[in-house]
């Protein structure tokens, strides 16, 4: 028993295993320096690129200045210039208007009857007194004959009554008849005289009705479409009539302006000044006709804050048509002796409005200007530029103060003002293309004084 070994005792005991201990974790290295290095490299490349570009530009300009001759401006900034001019600029008020026929007449027949003839062509220009249509005159001819017959009858009776009255007068003097018979005969003759006047009126009425059978044009103008065909029975009470005539020469235009502009216009009308105006097409791009202001309305429309004006146009070429929409340019003043430059030369920046002025050494200089009047293509300046100086109108994107440039339009002296001639802005030429201040009318899309949009750079470089 004591020698008996258990199974556990026979199995050799395994040496105790040493506990495995993992190596301590290495401290994690931060890689922030890699990002710093990347940023520094990128910054270095960026500044190197900018420096190289600037040095290249400087070298190009230096080489351009050094070469001179015909090819000396090859590396310079190309620009276009225009010469500032002195001239007059008209001031316009603008409004939207509608063309109205000076007179419009719906032609009606004055008598009832059958329409037997239409003597006009649709769209024909007629004159006052021209025959337009004819009504069957036979019923009225019969009435005239009857009236004339009654008149002849009464005239014969009057003659007989007058002879009898003369006889009775003699008989009364001879004391053959009483005075009463004489008076009765005289009264009878007077009755026939009254009847003859009534008959004469009936004859005149019948003749007038017969004349009304010929429908004539009451005014000169253009006949519209025919409203009734021959053969129809027409009446004086018909609503539509026979045709409509519109007077086109002269013709009227009504338009509106803001109430703030009323004092200027009203004062000139009260002073007896005749204001001229131009009518332009619906797109405000083409002049149609010129006219004069006739009058203004007697009240302001409170819903729109505008007042109505009426103008008259000769319309000799029939260019204006009734109910046509037009843009009206009313000339109210002319600014004399303005310095005029193209609109493209005007720039705007934080320091205000400025232009680039070309110097004699082919460099540009920033010049602050004060604008007074803005037109389609020209701007009138009060200060900043004198007539004869040249301003840059194209190639403004990369210009800086003092930068040397190459003039692309006509050599170093530049070209003339590319806008309209300032001298054309007098009283004789009222169109906006001649230059002039435009003050907006009832249109919300136009300001009372249009300002030039900024071109090119963002402002003067300090």
């Amino acid at each position: 028993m004591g020698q008996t070994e258990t199974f556990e005792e026979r199995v050799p005991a395994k040496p105790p295993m040493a506990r495995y201990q993992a190596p301590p974790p290495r401290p994690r290295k931060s890689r922030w320096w890699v990002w710093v290095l990347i940023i520094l490299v990128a910054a270095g490349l960026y500044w190197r690129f900018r420096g190289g570009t600037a040095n290249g530009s400087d070298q190009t300009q230096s080489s351009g200045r050094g070469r001179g001759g015909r090819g000396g401006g090859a590396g310079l900034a190309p620009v276009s210039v225009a010469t500032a001019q002195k001239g007059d600029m008209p001031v316009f008020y603008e409004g939207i208007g509608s063309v109205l026929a000076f007179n419009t007449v719906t032609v009606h027949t004055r008598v009832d009857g059958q329409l037997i003839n239409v003597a006009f062509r649709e769209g024909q220009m007629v004159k006052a007194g021209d025959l337009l249509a004819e009504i069957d005159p036979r019923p009225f001819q019969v009435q005239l004959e009857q009236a004339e017959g009654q008149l002849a009858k009464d005239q014969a009776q009057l003659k007989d009554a007058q002879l009898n009255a003369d006889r009775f007068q003699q008989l009364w003097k001879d004391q053959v008849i009483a005075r009463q018979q004489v008076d009765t005969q005289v009264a009878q003759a007077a009755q026939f005289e009254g009847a003859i006047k009534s008959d004469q009126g009936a004859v005149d009425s019948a003749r007038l009705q017969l004349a009304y059978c010929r429908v004539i044009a009451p005014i000169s103008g253009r006949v519209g479409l025919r409203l009734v065909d021959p053969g129809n029975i027409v009446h004086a009470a018909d609503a539509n009539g026979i045709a409509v005539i519109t007077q086109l020469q002269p013709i009227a235009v009504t338009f509106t302006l803001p109430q703030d502009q009323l004092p200027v216009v009203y004062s000139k009308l009260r002073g007896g000044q005749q204001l001229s105006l131009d009518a332009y097409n619906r797109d405000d791009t083409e002049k149609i006709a010129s006219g004069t202001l006739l009058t203004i309305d007697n009240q302001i429309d409170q819903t729109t804050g505008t007042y109505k004006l009426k103008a008259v146009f000769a319309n000799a070429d029939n260019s204006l048509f009734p109910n046509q929409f037009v843009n009206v340019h009313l000339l109210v003043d002319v600014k004399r002796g303005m310095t005029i430059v193209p609109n493209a030369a005007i720039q705007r920046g934080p320091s205000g409005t400025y232009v680039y002025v070309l110097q004699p050494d082919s460099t540009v200089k920033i010049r602050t200007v004060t604008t007074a009047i803005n037109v389609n293509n020209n701007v009138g300046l009060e200060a900043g530029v004198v007539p004869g100086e040249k301003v840059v109108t194209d190639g403004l994107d990369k210009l800086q103060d003092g930068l040397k440039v190459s003039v692309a339009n006509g050599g170093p002296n530049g070209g003339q003002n590319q806008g309209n001639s300032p001298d054309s802005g007098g009283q004789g030429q009222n169109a906006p293309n001649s230059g002039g201040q435009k003050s907006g009318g009832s249109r919300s899309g136009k300001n009372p004084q249009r300002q030039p949009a900024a071109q090119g750079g963002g402002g003067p470089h300090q």
Side-chain angles (χ1 to χ4, degrees):
M1 300 273 306
Q3 296 180 354
T4 304
E5 298 180 356
T6 62
F7 177 76
E8 292 80 0
E9 294 176 350
R10 289 198 299 268
V11 177
K14 296 182 179 180
M17 296 180 61
R19 292 183 179 179
Y20 175 76
Q21 296 182 354
R26 297 180 180 180
R28 187 173 182 179
K29 297 181 179 181
S30 175
R31 297 183 180 180
W32 59 270
W33 58 273
V34 177
W35 296 106
V36 173
L37 181 60
I38 292 174
I39 294 173
L40 291 176
V41 171
L45 292 175
Y46 173 73
W47 289 108
R48 180 177 179 82
F49 174 76
R50 285 200 59 176
T53 303
N55 293 335
S57 301
D58 295 340
Q59 292 176 3
T60 302
Q61 295 181 10
S62 300
S63 61
R65 288 192 293 265
R67 286 194 296 268
R70 292 177 62 88
L76 305 180
V79 297
S80 298
V81 299
T83 303
Q85 301 182 13
K86 184 177 181 180
D88 302 335
M89 302 184 72
V91 181
F92 288 96
Y93 287 167
E94 293 185 356
I96 294 180
S98 177
V99 180
L100 299 176
F102 214 75
N103 290 297
T104 301
V105 176
T106 301
V107 180
H108 290 265
T109 177
R110 303 289 294 272
V111 294
D112 299 345
Q114 184 180 21
L115 183 64
I116 61 174
N117 180 32
V118 174
F120 65 88
R121 299 189 310 273
E122 294 174 319
Q124 176 185 350
M125 297 295 296
V126 298
K127 296 181 179 180
D130 288 350
L131 177 65
L132 298 179
E134 288 182 299
I135 310 297
D136 187 4
R138 292 174 297 179
F140 305 99
Q141 289 175 347
V142 173
Q143 293 178 7
L144 176 60
E145 292 174 356
Q146 290 175 347
E148 290 176 343
Q150 184 65 36
L151 174 62
K153 176 183 177 181
D154 290 341
Q155 286 176 343
Q157 290 179 344
L158 172 62
K159 186 176 181 180
D160 179 64
Q162 289 175 342
L163 292 175
N164 290 333
D166 293 339
R167 295 190 188 100
F168 282 12
Q169 288 284 353
Q170 186 62 37
L171 293 174
W172 176 74
K173 290 179 181 180
D174 295 340
Q175 297 182 355
V176 175
I177 60 175
R179 180 66 186 179
Q180 182 180 1
Q181 290 180 321
V182 176
D183 295 338
T184 301
Q185 189 62 36
V186 172
Q188 187 177 6
Q191 290 178 359
F192 284 120
E193 289 178 355
I196 289 176
K197 289 185 178 180
S198 178
D199 294 341
Q200 186 63 51
V203 170
D204 293 339
S205 176
R207 288 176 178 172
L208 183 62
Q209 298 296 315
L210 186 61
Y212 284 159
C213 292
R214 292 173 53 88
V215 182
I216 62 174
I219 62 172
S220 298
R222 187 176 186 270
V223 182
L225 301 179
R226 187 174 60 198
L227 302 179
V228 63
D229 298 326
N232 287 282
I233 302 298
V234 294
H235 304 275
D238 289 343
N240 295 330
I242 297 176
V244 177
I245 302 177
T246 54
Q247 182 179 352
L248 303 180
Q249 299 173 351
I251 202 166
V253 171
T254 59
F255 61 101
T256 57
L257 290 178
Q259 62 180 2
D260 296 339
Q261 298 173 355
L262 176 60
V264 176
V265 179
Y266 187 59
S267 62
K268 292 183 178 296
L269 286 180
R270 288 182 59 188
Q273 183 175 351
Q274 189 177 47
L275 299 180
S276 59
L277 70 166
D278 299 322
Y280 277 68
N281 61 357
R282 189 167 186 172
D283 297 332
D284 205 9
T285 57
E286 181 181 356
K287 179 181 174 181
I288 302 176
S290 297
T292 56
L293 184 64
L294 184 62
T295 186
I296 61 177
D297 201 0
N298 58 358
Q299 59 184 349
I300 295 175
D301 188 351
Q302 293 183 346
T303 59
T304 60
T306 60
Y307 64 101
K308 288 184 179 180
L309 303 92
K310 187 176 183 179
V312 59
F313 292 77
N315 200 30
D317 56 353
N318 293 324
S319 56
L320 294 176
F321 206 78
N323 297 331
Q324 176 183 359
F325 286 102
V326 293
N327 290 281
V328 179
H329 300 224
L330 176 65
L331 178 65
V332 294
D333 196 7
V334 177
K335 299 293 184 180
R336 307 288 182 181
M338 301 295 297
T339 300
I340 304 174
V341 298
N343 193 13
I346 302 298
Q347 305 294 300
R348 294 188 178 277
S351 300
T353 305
Y354 64 97
V355 297
Y356 285 100
V357 180
L358 181 66
Q359 302 299 308
D361 59 353
S362 296
T363 60
V364 293
K365 182 176 181 60
I366 291 178
R367 191 83 57 82
T368 302
V369 296
T370 303
T371 60
I373 300 176
N374 184 14
V375 288
N376 285 343
N377 298 317
N378 295 329
V379 177
L381 303 180
E382 291 182 346
V385 177
V386 297
E389 289 187 315
K390 297 175 177 61
V391 294
V392 179
T393 59
D394 192 17
L396 298 155
D397 309 13
K398 301 178 182 178
L399 290 186
Q400 296 181 4
D401 194 14
L403 182 66
K404 195 173 184 67
V405 297
S406 173
V407 179
N409 56 341
N413 293 330
Q416 294 297 321
N417 192 331
Q418 296 177 350
N420 299 309
S421 173
D423 296 332
S424 64
Q427 292 285 357
Q429 309 225 357
N430 302 331
N433 293 336
S434 305
Q437 181 183 12
K438 292 187 176 183
S439 296
S442 58
R443 287 176 290 181
S444 59
K446 290 195 176 183
N447 297 325
Q449 181 172 341
R450 288 190 247 175
Q451 297 293 342
Q455 305 280 344
H461 299 275
Q462 302 297 331

